[in-house]
Amino acid sequence: MSVTTPRWAMISTYPPTQCGLATFSQSLFTALIKQRVSLDVIRVVDTPEPSSPPEVAWQLVNGRNPVGTARALNRYDLLLLQHEYGIFGGQDGETLLDVLAHVSVPVVTVLHTVLADPTPHQREVLQTVVGSSATLVTMTHTARNRLIASYAVDPDDVVVIPHGAADDLLATRRTVSHGWSRPTVLTWGLLGPGKGIEWGIEAMAMLRDLDRRPRYVVAGQTHPRVLERDGEQYRKMLMAKADALGVADDVVFEDGYLSARRLHRLIEAADVVLLPYDSTEQVTSGVLIEAVAAGRPVVSTRFPHAVELLSDGAGVLVERADPRAIADALRQVLGNPATGRQMSARAGALAQGLSWTSVAGRYAEVGRAQLARPVTVSAEQRAGAMATMAVA
């Protein structure tokens, strides 16, 4: 007797959309396929896209087709939902609730944001998402604790699985000769207000007395939504600040999309990674995970994920919007090679289990455990949903 392989659907933004969640989802998709998971992507878009990667089986056009999307999802055995307020249509992504109201398959929801102080409507939206989910995944214990404390969630229903990092990043902990005589400080990711790059630039101006003045590399393009709204205003402000402070030659902007290969080369060349974010809410940071996975010392502001991951010695934590503290921390790491080596060693120990191979294995276990639970949707309901989909 043949056994049918359960079919999963993942709903998220997805390339060619350029955002952190799309990149995360593509990496997780690729790793899950290697785990022999049968998986399709339901891609969230603002307007219909004429072409998508072959793994995209359906598009959720925000505000247009929630019932049709639910019908598509009900053809699968499990829904893996990537939740972030900003990607779904309506106030605080409330369009998603119209989809979930018609979904009849088990939902495993990955929560990329769990706010400490949400607005009443944000709380209502997330409460409905949580209530529609059979299993919840957070990427940090901070987010898990917030969820349990604020949303009356059964702790047994919340699993912590870290954000993944590319497997080959774990091999970059060696010292790499990159051809630069100056130490390199690196910040990367999509640019926009709130990234705190201005504080890093001000810190560079405080390090001009060093015999080997560091070079600050800021890599990545402006976030597409910021670019649409404000153009390159933030980047131009940063460049003007560097010029006004006399460090224009010390700050290098690598504009444009970063391929995985180019990003990995930048990380290899970095002596320290700087995360000067303004946020006090960020419970998940892919950049932080990748820096730690690569064994790079990190200087970071005290956002929740950094506090959780770096407090044991893999980095230095500073207050937000404090360039003097950033400069002092960089001076500590760059001026004392032993300190940098100790941080790298601690980061290397933390890196175990952060590869996408390891992370996808955890997701596969969670999904299979969920599928092994008693069926709550009848065969008649599933058959009806499939018949409706066939007619639609």
Side-chain angles (χ1 to χ4, degrees):
M1 187 174 93
S2 63
V3 178
T4 302
T5 301
R7 300 175 65 230
W8 299 19
M10 178 168 65
I11 185 168
S12 176
T13 55
Y14 200 78
T17 299
Q18 295 175 350
C19 70
L21 185 57
T23 301
F24 172 94
S25 296
Q26 185 179 50
S27 297
L28 180 57
F29 172 88
T30 301
L32 281 172
I33 291 298
K34 293 178 181 178
Q35 296 284 334
R36 300 184 182 277
V37 172
S38 176
L39 177 63
D40 287 338
V41 174
I42 310 300
R43 183 179 171 217
V44 180
V45 295
D46 292 327
T47 57
E49 296 283 348
S51 61
S52 286
E55 59 266 27
V56 175
W58 185 268
Q59 294 184 5
L60 167 59
V61 182
N62 277 325
R64 297 193 189 183
N65 58 345
V67 176
T69 299
R71 290 171 179 166
L73 292 170
N74 289 336
R75 300 175 63 188
Y76 295 87
D77 299 285
L78 182 77
L79 169 58
L80 183 59
L81 166 63
Q82 306 294 338
H83 182 263
E84 181 66 84
Y85 288 107
I87 70 167
F88 297 100
Q91 183 183 357
D92 300 318
E94 63 185 358
T95 293
L96 173 64
L97 308 185
D98 295 330
V99 177
L100 293 176
H102 297 89
V103 168
S104 58
V105 298
V107 180
V108 174
T109 297
V110 184
L111 297 173
H112 291 256
T113 297
V114 181
L115 299 172
D117 188 23
T119 66
H121 190 261
Q122 287 171 334
R123 177 178 294 277
E124 179 183 349
V125 168
L126 189 57
Q127 191 71 66
T128 303
V129 171
V130 167
S132 302
S133 305
T135 302
L136 298 161
V137 177
T138 64
M139 298 183 206
T140 62
H141 291 280
T142 300
R144 181 179 187 272
N145 293 339
R146 285 184 182 181
L147 194 62
I148 293 169
S150 300
Y151 293 89
V153 177
D154 185 338
D156 291 339
D157 292 335
V158 189
V159 179
V160 178
I161 304 177
H163 191 297
D167 291 37
D168 56 356
L169 265 180
L170 275 67
T172 66
R173 299 190 202 101
R174 63 192 181 279
T175 300
V176 177
S177 176
H178 45 70
W180 289 343
S181 60
R182 298 164 61 184
T184 302
V185 179
L186 173 66
T187 297
W188 78 89
L190 296 174
L191 290 193
K195 291 294 186 179
I197 308 298
E198 56 269 36
W199 314 123
I201 292 174
E202 290 189 25
M204 290 300 108
M206 300 176 187
L207 298 175
R208 284 180 293 183
D209 62 304
L210 293 178
D211 291 336
R212 298 177 66 234
R213 285 166 53 179
R215 178 189 302 242
Y216 185 27
V217 177
V218 180
Q221 63 192 34
T222 299
H223 194 291
R225 292 195 175 182
V226 173
L227 187 63
E228 181 180 354
R229 183 184 69 238
D230 302 325
E232 291 287 6
Q233 180 177 334
Y234 182 66
R235 186 184 300 272
K236 290 177 180 178
M237 181 275 288
L238 296 175
M239 297 174 72
K241 179 178 284 290
D243 187 57
L245 292 173
V247 292
D249 292 339
D250 299 330
V251 181
V252 178
F253 290 90
E254 289 233 1
D255 193 3
Y257 173 76
L258 292 174
S259 67
R261 182 175 182 179
R262 178 56 185 156
L263 174 59
H264 294 179
R265 288 180 63 86
L266 286 170
I267 296 173
E268 287 177 354
D271 295 278
V272 59
V273 172
L274 173 62
L275 282 67
Y277 303 161
D278 290 333
S279 173
T280 59
E281 288 279 8
Q282 192 165 351
V283 294
T284 302
S285 169
V287 172
L288 174 61
I289 287 290
E290 289 174 318
V292 170
R296 292 299 178 264
V298 178
V299 172
S300 174
T301 51
R302 292 180 177 274
F303 61 89
H305 194 184
V307 171
E308 181 172 318
L309 196 61
L310 300 179
S311 295
D312 286 341
V316 180
L317 295 167
V318 299
E319 298 303 323
R320 65 191 182 94
D322 190 342
R324 170 58 65 186
I326 292 173
D328 290 345
L330 290 173
R331 192 183 294 273
Q332 173 187 346
V333 177
L334 296 174
N336 188 340
T339 298
R341 287 194 296 269
Q342 290 171 1
M343 290 182 181
S344 293
R346 182 56 188 157
L350 292 174
Q352 302 306 314
L354 296 180
S355 71
W356 275 116
T357 296
S358 177
V359 167
R362 295 282 307 281
Y363 275 99
E365 290 174 3
V366 168
R368 288 161 185 159
Q370 178 60 55
L371 289 166
R373 293 183 181 182
V375 177
T376 57
V377 179
S378 69
E380 290 79 8
Q381 287 176 300
R382 182 70 56 79
M386 293 182 69
T388 304
M389 180 64 192
V391 172

